[in-house]
Structures are given as structure tokens and as C-alpha cells.
């Protein structure tokens, strides 16, 4: 029964949202700087298959990513994720990310603000034919430097399409937000826990008056990982970040 | 020194375009056919004189008599020569078109146990009698009765809906899917080794699925029941978010499980009767939604202290339930949905023996089939119903269990006729999604040692 519940989670991760974590700080990397990250991303998926009775299931992914600074305002990179449980299901995906700074904060003058665009391909599968998912996500990343740490908030919208063998394709929007914290624990290394909640207004089983109450799939994703930068090259976020003053460290 | 050139966004764009194309074209094509049920079979010639008592009655009694008896659930009785002779044109029509007896599986696909479809020889004999002089013959010439098919060999328990229910389809709909909780008064664990629905109102009940809820979920299902002010609770999507619901069966025509099989029931368990009420009669007449009548169905069961434990899995693409994934255009005469599935999610990688398959569609279904695709690429037909009949959903027991290896793949295909010619009750066809019709197969199986 546990395996079926996990299988349900694997299926639901298709209709909720692809991994949303790992986009990094709101302040783009300095030109030429490189950041590599990895995380375990357990998630809790839910879909309103019944009125007032969400069907739920857990899932998880292993996520790796690399981002690089292109200019003072632009950062690009990619992420990839995978997970498999024998006899239950698997997931494999990748995303291309671009982050454009709208506001790059300097010491003590408020948050950094960036808009990011992520294009992802995801292939979840129960044993058998896989499904294919394409998602475009547009997060607005707002981040505050807390000394060498960084607090990140990321409201976002997404557009997701899914298809598979023997079914018609479905397209649906998604909405959500993230909260993350980059804790600078060593030279060139951040611990980066992040939580994301996404919701998509997907109708399930769609006819009759009760159809309106069988709408919605959600995904609660928790990233437990870290990020390594390139060890203090000039312009990297660690070296470039303003040194904390006694007044700004909480 | 600057780092090497970073990936340019322009480079992956063709790849992204390809991925988009994959998603919107990945429905693919159904597995290659044709299914064997497409083949036309000519009944063999019948030699000599055909009489009712000697040649026809034994077959009619065995394969029609369970329903077509005086007071039976069918509207006509063929129990006597006079009744059968007066209805000979109707009898000829339904057997010739293979809509009766309602055993829908093509015999060319697989061999089934106790199938009550007519053999080619039986059909030829029946047609010769109805097309000829319809001779009665000598009652003394009747051979010994053929063995009875189906039904329970004994009834150990009858569980009944707590109260009668009047279906209330949504406006514009003719369907009401309702779950009812039935107590199972066992004080120790037993095996259910056979079940047969005792349908209260055959005009309303299209089909039913019997679920078994373990004692740890009994309070949850009771709460669902209590929350809904009307009898039972809405369960259009199945059994709701209940863990450990096992499907015991899904048919209007029940009987003993084969080969000493049983489903273990712990004390404190609940039965959930998932009833699909339809106000569309099999004749096509739509009952008035304001007063369609009521139903109080019961379930007769045979039980045993020991049995070979059987399990049930449901095969369907879980994504069909989402959005437009199962969308059929109005007027489409042949919409196809299909699914490939390796059942290791249920079997944990063990080989299994398939004991029976219960296909499931609604009234717009036209055809359903199930194959196993072996790892070496060969295919075996498990079930082919070339002409689906609304109202005759039932389990098809294999004459011998079908061994499924861990890496074998099951293939399910359903086809729908949403043209004006296939609208029960008339009316213009309209676009529909999952719920208006469905595509699934319930498989009863036992686990084998690797």
C-alpha cells in the first residue's frame, strides 16, 4: 500500500509542478562566477480528485544545478533532477534558467529583485509508458542580504503542458511562491533550505455541478541542499557581498 | 580571465521546440491490430431436423435460463416451448447479432471458464430452429440438462444497503455514482469466495463495484457516509481518498470465484458498494429524473475459512481524469484511448497469475481490449470485446490463469462512438471528458513465486 501511495505521488507530481527550487539568490552571480548546487527535494503532492477530499502522495527528487554569471544583471544556468523507486515509478527532468536583475542591492539599501525564466522538461512515469511535461515558470525573486546570508521570497506563475501515450495533451497554469534561506556556513558554501508551494487549477473528472469542487492540484516542495561557488573569484557573490555591519546582522 | 562562453539560449531553442512537439503529438497510435474479434465467423451447417426439446432447450436453459425464466431479471421467459416459439423472431435477432447471451468477449481472443456465449454449433442450431418450422419434438428426447453456469453454490451472508436510495443525477446528466457502506458482521477473518449482487432495481443499476475497506479505515468511510445527508455518499471518482480499498468484484452477474480463490476480510471491515445508477434504460428510454424510482441492492456472498488469496488491481491511465486528457469530440465515431502499464506497482516485481478481467466503460464505449505485451515483443490477447454493451459489465474468468512476468506490459485500449447514432436516449452528441465515460480494467490475480 505504501508503494501505491508513492506511485500516486509520482503521478501527481506530473499534474502539479516540476521542481521549482534551486534558482539561487535574487542577486545574480557576478560576471564569470559559477555556482554549483545539489539538493534532496522531498515533496508532498495533492489533487482534488474528490470534492473536499484531496488525494495525496509523497514523492522526492535529487536535484543538481549549475548557474553562472554573464553580466552584472544576467545569470544563466541549468538544473537536472531524477529519482526512481524500483517497482513504483521514476522521474527525470531538466530545466534551463535565466535570471535578470531588476534591482541589484548594495549594502543596506533594500532587497535585490530579479525576474527569472525557467523552461523545464520533465518525464515522470509509473512502470510503463512515460508522461511528458513541459513547463515555463516565471518567478519574481526578492532577496535580502543578511550579512553573508540571504533570505529569498519568490512568487511565481507557470504554464505547464503534459501529454503521454494514449491521452490528449493538457495545458494548465500554475501559481505559487517560495521562501528560501542561504546560510553561509563556510567559505564558498551555503546551506540552502527552500520551500515552495505551487497550485494549479486543473479540473478532475469534469462534468456536473460538483465539477467545480474537483479542481486543483498542489505541490509542496522542500529542498534540503547546498550550493558551492567558485571559491572567491573576484565578483563571486561571497566575495562581492558587502561585509556585514553590526547593525545589519540580526 | 573570463570563464568559457556560457550556454546561449538560442542553442536549446530547437530542442525546446522538439519537446513541445513531443508533448502535443505523444498520444501516439494504438497498438497494431486487428483484434481477433473483427473476424467474421460463419456458423457451421446443421444437419437433420432440429427440435426444441432435443436440440434447443438444453442450450437455452443453460445459457439464457438464469435470467430468462419466469420471474427472472430479464423481461422475457424462454423456459417453455410455447414462450420460446412465440418469441422466436426476437430470439433469432439477438443471438444472430451476438448481443445475447451478454457474454461479450470474443472467444478467439482467449479461452474463458464457463463462458455462456453460444458456441458456433449452438448458434447454428438455434438459428436453424428459429428459421425453420420451430418444431417442438418429443419431451422424452431431451438429453440430460447441461451444467448450470455462474451463480453462487451457496449463500453464507447477505449484506444489504441500509435503506433505499432514489438516484438524483445532476441536471443534464443521466448518471449518479453513489457509494453505500455495508457492515460485514464477521467476528474472525474469513475469505470471500464468491459474491453475487442482488440488484434491487435493474432499470436503474448499470453496474456496481464492490470495495473492501479494512478495519483501520472503517471509521473514515463511516465519516464520509455520515457527512452526506442523503443515503450513502457521492463517489464519482471511485472510493475517495481511502487507503487500503480493495476491489472485490464489479459485475451484475456474480458467482463463485474460480479455483478456490478468495479475498481475505478482516473483522471490523466494511464493504463499500459503489453503484452506478443510470436513468437511461438499456432500451434507450430515459426515466424521468424527478421520479426515476428507487433501489435497494444487496450483496450475497459465499465465505470460507481458507482459500487461495486473490488480489485486485485496476488498470487505467491515471492522467485521463485530468482536464481534457480524455476528451472526445461531439460526433467522433471512433475515439481511441490506450495505455501501457507494467503492473509491478501492484506486484512488487513478482510474476502473477491473472485469474479474471472485468472491463469497464459506459454507454458511449464501443470496444475494449486488453493484451499482454511480452518482453520479447510478442503479444497475447487477454480480452477483446468488439461490441461493448452498456449494462453487461462482468468479470471474464480465464479457463486457465494467465502468467504475467515482471517485465511484461499490459496494454488497454478503449474506443468510443460519440456520433449521433450512438446516443442512448437520443439527443445530439456533445463533447465529453472522463466521468461521462471511462476506460478501465479490473484484474483479479494471485502472486507467484519468481
Amino acid at each position: 500500500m505504501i508503494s501505491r501511495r508513492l506511485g500516486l505521488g509520482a503521478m501527481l507530481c506530473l499534474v502539479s509542478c516540476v521542481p521549482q527550487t534551486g534558482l539561487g539568490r535574487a542577486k545574480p552571480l557576478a560576471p564569470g562566477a559559477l555556482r554549483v548546487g545539489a539538493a534532496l527535494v522531498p515533496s508532498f503532492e495533492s489533487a482534488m480528485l474528490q470534492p473536499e477530499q484531496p488525494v495525496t502522495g509523497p514523492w522526492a527528487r535529487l536535484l543538481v544545478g549549475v548557474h553562472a554569471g554573464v553580466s552584472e544583471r544576467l545569470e544563466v544556468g541549468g538544473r537536472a533532477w531524477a529519482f526512481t523507486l524500483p517497482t513504483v515509478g521514476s522521474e527525470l527532468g531538466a530545466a534551463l534558467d535565466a535570471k535578470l536583475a531588476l534591482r541589484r542591492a548594495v549594502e543596506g539599501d533594500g532587497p535585490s529583485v530579479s525576474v527569472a525564466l525557467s523552461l523545464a522538461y520533465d518525464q515522470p512515469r509509473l512502470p510503463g509508458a512515460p508522461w511528458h511535461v513541459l513547463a515555463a515558470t516565471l518567478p519574481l525573486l526578492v532577496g535580502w542580504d543578511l550579512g553573508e546570508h540571504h533570505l529569498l521570497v519568490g512568487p511565481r506563475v507557470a504554464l505547464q503542458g503534459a501529454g503521454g501515450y494514449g491521452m490528449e495533451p493538457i495545458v494548465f497554469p500554475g501559481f505559487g511562491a517560495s521562501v528560501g534561506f542561504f546560510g553561509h556556513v563556510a567559505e564558498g558554501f551555503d546551506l540552502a533550505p527552500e520551500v515552495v508551494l505551487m497550485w494549479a487549477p486543473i479540473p478532475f473528472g469534469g462534468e456536473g455541478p460538483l465539477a467545480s469542487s474537483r479542481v486543483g492540484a498542489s505541490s509542496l516542495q522542500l529542498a534540503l541542499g547546498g550550493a558551492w561557488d567558485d571559491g572567491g573569484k573576484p565578483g563571486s557573490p561571497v566575495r562581492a557581498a558587502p561585509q556585514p555591519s553590526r547593525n545589519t546582522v540580526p | 580571465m573570463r570563464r568559457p562562453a556560457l550556454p546561449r539560449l538560442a542553442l536549446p531553442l530547437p530542442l525546446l521546440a522538439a519537446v513541445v512537439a513531443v508533448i502535443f503529438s505523444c498520444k501516439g497510435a494504438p497498438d497494431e491490430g486487428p483484434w481477433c474479434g473483427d473476424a467474421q465467423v460463419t456458423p457451421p451447417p446443421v444437419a437433420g431436423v432440429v427440435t426444441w426439446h432435443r436440440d434447443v432447450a438444453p442450450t437455452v436453459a443453460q445459457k439464457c435460463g438464469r435470467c430468462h425464466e419466469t420471474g427472472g431479471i430479464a423481461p422475457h421467459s424462454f423456459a417453455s416451448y410455447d414462450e420460446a416459439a412465440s418469441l422466436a423472431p426476437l430470439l433469432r435477432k439477438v443471438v444472430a447479432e451476438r448481443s445475447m447471451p451478454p457474454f461479450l468477449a470474443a472467444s478467439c481472443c482467449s479461452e474463458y471458464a464457463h463462458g455462456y456465449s453460444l458456441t458456433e454449433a449452438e448458434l447454428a442450431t438455434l438459428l436453424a430452429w428459429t428459421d425453420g418450422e420451430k418444431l417442438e419434438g418429443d419431451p422424452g428426447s431431451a438429453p440430460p440438462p447441461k451444467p448450470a453456469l455462474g451463480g453462487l453454490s451457496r449463500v453464507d451472508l447477505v449484506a444489504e444497503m441500509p435503506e433505499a436510495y432514489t438516484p438524483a443525477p445532476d441536471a443534464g446528466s443521466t448518471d449518479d455514482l453513489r457509494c453505500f457502506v455495508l457492515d460485514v458482521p464477521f467476528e474472525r477473518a474469513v475469505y470471500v469466495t464468491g459474491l453475487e449482487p442482488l440488484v434491487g432495481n435493474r432499470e436503474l443499476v448499470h453496474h456496481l463495484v464492490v470495495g473492501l475497506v479494512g478495519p483501520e479505515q472503517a471509521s473514515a468511510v463511516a465519516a464520509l457516509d455520515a457527512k452526506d445527508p442523503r443515503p450513502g455518499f457521492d463517489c464519482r471518482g471511485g472510493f475517495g481518498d481511502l487507503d487500503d480499498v480493495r476491489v472485490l468484484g464489479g459485475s451484475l452477474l456474480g458467482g463463485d470465484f474460480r479455483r478456490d480463490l478468495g479475498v481475505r476480510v478482516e473483522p471490523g471491515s466494511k464493504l463499500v458498494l459503489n453503484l452506478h445508477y443510470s436513468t437511461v434504460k438499456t432500451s434507450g428510454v430515459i426515466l424521468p429524473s424527478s421520479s426515476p424510482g428507487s433501489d435497494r441492492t444487496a450483496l450475497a456472498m459465499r465465505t470460507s475459512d481458507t482459500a487461495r488469496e486473490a488480489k485486485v488491481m485496476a488498470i487505467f491511465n491515471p492522467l485521463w481524469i485530468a482536464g481534457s486528457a480524455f476528451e472526445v469530440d461531439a460526433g467522433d465515431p471512433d475515439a481511441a484511448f490506450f495505455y501501457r502499464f507494467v503492473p509491478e506497482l501492484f506486484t512488487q516485481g513478482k510474476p502473477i497469475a491473472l485469474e479474471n478481467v472485468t472491463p469497464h466503460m459506459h454507454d458511449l464505449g464501443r470496444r475494449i481490449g486488453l493484451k499482454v505485451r511480452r518482453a520479447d515483443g510478442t503479444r497475447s490477447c487477454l480480452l477483446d470485446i468488439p461490441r461493448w454493451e452498456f449494462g453487461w459489465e462482468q468479470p471474464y474468468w480465464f479457463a486457465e490463469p494467465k502468467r504475467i512476468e515482471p517485465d511484461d506490459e499490459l496494454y488497454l485500449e478503449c474506443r468510443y462512438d460519440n456520433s449521433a447514432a450512438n446516443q442512448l436516449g437520443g439527443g445530439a452528441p456533445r463533447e465529453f471528458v472522463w466521468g461521462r465515460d471511462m476506460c478501465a480494467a479490473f484484474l483479479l490475480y494471485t502472486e507467484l513465486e519468481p
Side-chain angles (χ1 to χ4, degrees):
Chain A
M1 190 51 59
I2 291 174
S3 64
R4 288 181 212 176
R5 186 61 40 168
L6 285 163
L8 189 62
M11 183 274 287
L12 293 176
C13 79
L14 185 154
V15 296
S16 50
C17 272
V18 298
Q20 296 283 334
T21 60
L23 286 169
R25 298 182 178 212
K27 181 186 295 184
L29 293 167
L34 196 67
R35 179 183 286 268
V36 177
L40 172 65
V41 188
S43 64
F44 191 74
E45 317 290 340
S46 173
M48 291 298 292
L49 303 186
Q50 294 285 322
E52 301 178 18
Q53 297 171 49
V55 175
T56 58
W59 189 238
R61 296 114 174 166
L62 290 169
L63 178 91
V64 296
V66 58
H67 277 205
V70 177
S71 70
E72 287 293 323
R73 297 186 61 194
L74 181 63
E75 172 185 322
V76 299
R79 291 168 295 142
W81 55 88
F83 197 69
T84 184
L85 283 176
T87 78
V88 173
S90 63
E91 186 187 11
L92 187 67
L96 295 171
D97 309 321
K99 187 190 300 177
L100 180 67
L102 303 178
R103 182 177 189 277
R104 190 181 176 99
V106 295
E107 184 179 3
D109 72 340
S112 296
V113 180
S114 294
V115 63
L117 174 64
S118 179
L119 300 174
Y121 170 74
D122 194 26
Q123 188 188 95
R125 72 192 298 165
L126 297 179
W131 295 295
H132 307 278
V133 181
L134 186 69
T137 309
L138 194 65
L140 181 70
L141 302 175
V142 182
W144 291 265
D145 290 326
L146 306 172
E148 294 188 352
H149 311 306
H150 188 77
L151 178 65
L152 177 74
V153 175
R156 65 198 64 198
V157 295
L159 184 64
Q160 193 155 317
Y165 182 67
M167 62 175 277
E168 301 294 340
I170 53 177
V171 178
F172 46 90
F175 308 93
S178 67
V179 176
F181 182 76
F182 290 77
H184 186 69
V185 295
E187 185 64 28
F189 179 68
D190 288 348
L191 277 178
E194 192 173 3
V195 61
V196 184
L197 179 62
M198 293 296 293
W199 180 80
I202 308 169
F204 295 102
E207 296 201 352
L210 288 177
S212 61
S213 59
R214 293 197 298 271
V215 174
S218 61
S219 175
L220 180 65
Q221 302 170 11
L222 175 64
L224 304 168
W228 294 263
D229 63 36
D230 59 353
K233 289 188 73 69
S236 73
V238 175
R239 182 66 60 85
Q243 293 302 307
S245 71
R246 297 286 180 192
N247 294 331
T248 56
V249 175
Chain B
M1 191 175 84
R2 294 183 67 84
R3 294 190 172 277
L6 294 162
R8 296 177 186 170
L9 286 178
L11 289 178
L13 284 180
L15 179 62
L16 287 173
V19 171
V20 172
V22 164
I23 287 174
F24 284 90
S25 64
C26 62
K27 181 176 182 181
D31 198 48
E32 62 258 35
W35 295 83
C36 71
D38 291 327
Q40 298 294 318
V41 178
T42 304
V46 177
V49 176
V50 177
T51 70
W52 168 258
H53 288 295
R54 187 186 65 203
D55 305 305
V56 179
T59 299
V60 170
Q62 183 192 40
K63 297 194 169 174
C64 314
R66 191 173 163 197
C67 302
H68 290 277
E69 60 182 355
T70 304
I73 64 173
H76 308 293
S77 169
F78 297 123
S80 70
Y81 167 77
D82 289 340
E83 290 169 316
S86 67
L87 293 168
L90 174 64
L91 184 61
R92 187 202 192 288
K93 176 179 182 295
V94 296
V95 298
E97 68 186 17
R98 290 282 192 183
S99 61
M100 285 286 164
F103 189 87
L104 309 176
S107 58
C108 55
C109 173
S110 191
E111 187 178 354
Y112 304 99
H114 284 186
Y116 47 89
S117 63
L118 298 173
T119 65
E120 297 305 325
E122 289 169 337
L123 175 61
T125 302
L126 248 172
L127 293 178
W129 184 76
T130 57
D131 291 346
E133 297 179 42
K134 293 178 269 298
L135 298 174
E136 179 175 10
D138 179 7
S141 66
K146 294 183 178 181
L149 300 179
L152 289 178
S153 57
R154 68 169 191 273
V155 174
D156 297 313
L157 175 72
V158 174
E160 188 177 34
M161 284 165 52
E163 56 187 309
Y165 176 70
T166 299
D170 297 331
S173 172
T174 55
D175 302 300
D176 184 0
L177 280 87
R178 199 81 179 165
C179 278
F180 302 93
V181 182
L182 279 57
D183 287 328
V184 186
F186 298 133
E187 294 179 353
R188 66 183 192 286
V190 300
Y191 289 91
V192 172
T193 56
L195 57 87
E196 181 164 23
L198 306 175
V199 175
N201 188 337
R202 183 65 182 89
E203 287 196 336
L204 288 172
V205 177
H206 165 235
H207 75 267
L208 58 82
V209 180
V210 184
L212 177 66
V213 177
E216 69 281 2
Q217 287 283 313
S219 59
V221 75
L224 281 174
D225 194 13
K227 190 175 177 181
D228 195 313
R230 306 181 65 218
F233 58 93
D234 184 296
C235 58
R236 269 172 260 211
F239 291 102
D241 189 23
L242 296 170
D243 285 323
D244 201 21
V245 176
R246 287 181 290 162
V247 177
L248 276 181
S251 169
L252 294 182
L253 299 172
D256 290 349
F257 295 171
R258 307 280 301 165
R259 296 182 275 272
D260 299 321
L261 291 169
V263 177
R264 185 179 171 91
V265 181
E266 301 293 336
S269 300
K270 300 276 189 185
L271 290 172
V272 181
L273 206 53
N274 182 335
L275 276 158
H276 177 180
Y277 292 109
S278 172
T279 55
V280 181
K281 298 169 65 174
T282 52
S283 62
V285 173
I286 297 180
L287 298 167
S289 58
S290 57
S291 56
S294 63
D295 169 67
R296 190 174 184 185
T297 288
L299 196 63
M301 283 173 279
R302 193 183 80 157
T303 62
S304 176
D305 288 333
T306 59
R308 293 173 56 227
E309 184 158 6
K311 299 179 177 179
V312 181
M313 69 173 91
I315 303 294
F316 65 100
N317 184 339
L319 259 292
W320 280 336
I321 200 171
S324 58
F326 196 81
E327 187 173 273
V328 176
D329 294 335
D332 188 343
D334 188 23
F337 292 90
F338 32 94
Y339 185 50
R340 300 200 322 256
F341 183 70
V342 180
E344 61 184 351
L345 181 63
F346 295 91
T347 64
Q348 280 77 53
K350 295 179 183 174
I352 58 172
L354 282 188
E355 300 285 349
N356 78 23
V357 53
T358 304
H360 178 64
M361 294 197 293
H362 295 176
D363 58 290
L364 293 168
R366 184 175 68 79
R367 162 170 228 149
I368 187 167
L370 184 71
K371 294 177 187 175
V372 55
R373 294 158 40 124
R374 306 291 184 184
D376 64 5
T378 59
R379 293 162 169 78
S380 299
C381 187
L382 296 174
L383 181 74
D384 179 17
I385 295 182
R387 287 174 295 280
W388 174 256
E389 289 285 340
F390 176 62
W392 291 116
E393 182 170 313
Q394 60 194 288
Y396 294 89
W397 287 86
F398 298 112
E400 296 295 333
K402 303 284 188 182
R403 184 180 175 99
I404 305 295
E405 301 296 340
D407 50 359
D408 287 343
E409 196 171 60
L410 296 172
Y411 171 80
L412 174 67
E413 179 179 321
C414 298
R415 289 179 176 270
Y416 301 86
D417 179 359
N418 196 23
S419 68
N422 193 41
Q423 305 296 315
L424 274 182
R430 61 183 178 87
E431 179 184 280
F432 71 84
V433 293
W434 184 270
R436 174 65 183 85
D437 217 304
M438 295 182 176
C439 173
F442 300 101
L443 308 182
L444 190 77
Y445 67 97
T446 55
E447 292 181 347
L448 302 173
E449 289 306 315

